[in-house]
Amino acid sequence: EVQLVESGGSFVQPGGSLRLSCAASGFTFSTSAMSWVRQAPGKGLQWVSTISGSDRNTYYADSVKGRFTISRDNSKNTLYMQMNSLRAEDAALYYCAKLRVGPRSDFDIWGQGTMVTVSS
Amino acid sequence: DIQMTQSPSSVSASVGDRVTITCRASQGIIGWLAWYQQKPGKAPKVLIYAASSLQSGVPSRFSGSGSGTDFTLTITSLQPEDSATYFCQQTDSFPITFGQGTRLEIK
């Protein structure tokens, strides 16, 4: 079964750090570009970051650049997002998603999301 | 950044109706556009990719069209299970951007 399962979401104070994980199964993870997309409660979808299958190319939204780092371990079929210097506006449900083909493609597989709450 | 503007922001229609949702990009994106359906408490699900390609398993009453800056998602013969929020997404260039969403209510 094709599946993405996120974990690592939690409650954190402003300025804190979290590492999200996304375990992939049922498809060839190592050649698949992957992304993180977030959704604040009651709001729309916001793309956060993308990493190519080869791990050579990474892309970030301006709002997280310099604070978040996307990475992957193809030997573990796992995608990560290291989130530092968290702000209240980072609070959201974080989805990992697989890109259909290359960077110019849609997200054809989504996980169920992991919740990040940032509050003092 | 490419801005994606969806209209309407909400729509109410009856079973069997035809519904059209539009998405306008602030600059040309050729056909690099996808449509997603999201139901409450669930992850988004892709319906249409590359502007007009139907995702496997998605009912044929869903269709997409357009190129350049103007795109349309059409749902013919609306069904109760189509009640959801619909988002467009441009994949032409980074940063990837989404429309603000259209909430579809079934009367």
Side-chain angles (χ1 to χ4, degrees):
Chain A
E1 181 189 6
V2 175
Q3 198 171 14
L4 295 171
V5 179
E6 303 95 333
S7 60
S10 182
F11 177 95
V12 63
Q13 293 187 329
S17 297
L18 274 180
R19 188 175 85 153
L20 306 183
S21 299
C22 172
S25 59
F27 63 95
T28 306
F29 178 77
S30 61
T31 59
S32 298
M34 300 292 296
S35 288
W36 290 97
V37 177
R38 68 186 181 185
Q39 186 171 37
K43 301 296 185 181
L45 301 168
Q46 182 186 26
W47 169 78
V48 176
S49 182
T50 294
I51 185 168
S52 65
S54 65
D55 200 15
R56 292 194 188 106
N57 298 307
T58 57
Y59 309 85
Y60 296 94
D62 284 347
S63 58
V64 307
K65 201 173 294 183
R67 300 187 298 122
F68 290 11
T69 302
I70 192 171
S71 63
R72 62 192 300 157
D73 185 337
N74 288 340
S75 68
K76 295 182 178 179
N77 285 354
T78 302
L79 176 73
Y80 302 101
M81 176 64 81
Q82 177 65 42
M83 309 164 67
N84 298 330
S85 303
L86 282 159
R87 305 168 179 167
E89 56 264 33
D90 295 319
L93 185 63
Y94 283 74
Y95 294 103
C96 74
K98 169 188 167 295
L99 279 73
R100 184 179 302 273
V101 185
R104 266 180 157 178
S105 53
D106 61 295
F107 303 143
D108 62 344
I109 302 169
W110 294 68
Q112 83 290 348
T114 187
M115 192 69 196
V116 172
T117 303
V118 184
S119 175
S120 54
Chain B
D1 299 4
I2 299 175
Q3 309 303 316
M4 305 301 292
T5 304
Q6 276 182 245
S7 62
S9 56
S10 65
V11 59
S12 181
S14 300
V15 172
D17 283 354
R18 173 189 176 107
V19 169
T20 298
I21 300 170
T22 63
C23 186
R24 174 164 287 176
S26 61
Q27 64 191 70
I29 57 171
I30 311 176
W32 299 110
L33 184 107
W35 289 98
Y36 298 87
Q37 177 193 67
Q38 186 178 34
K39 296 185 177 180
K42 300 293 187 182
K45 165 188 159 183
V46 64
L47 301 173
I48 302 289
Y49 62 97
S52 59
S53 295
L54 187 69
Q55 170 71 3
S56 175
V58 172
S60 59
R61 63 179 180 273
F62 291 91
S63 65
S65 64
S67 66
T69 60
D70 295 316
F71 300 86
T72 298
L73 173 70
T74 301
I75 312 171
T76 57
S77 190
L78 202 62
Q79 298 299 303
E81 61 266 30
D82 299 335
S83 176
T85 300
Y86 294 82
F87 296 93
C88 62
Q89 174 208 26
Q90 68 82 16
T91 60
D92 179 75
S93 62
F94 290 102
I96 293 168
T97 46
F98 292 88
Q100 79 277 16
T102 295
R103 180 171 292 184
L104 171 58
E105 174 195 84
I106 309 298
K107 290 178 186 173

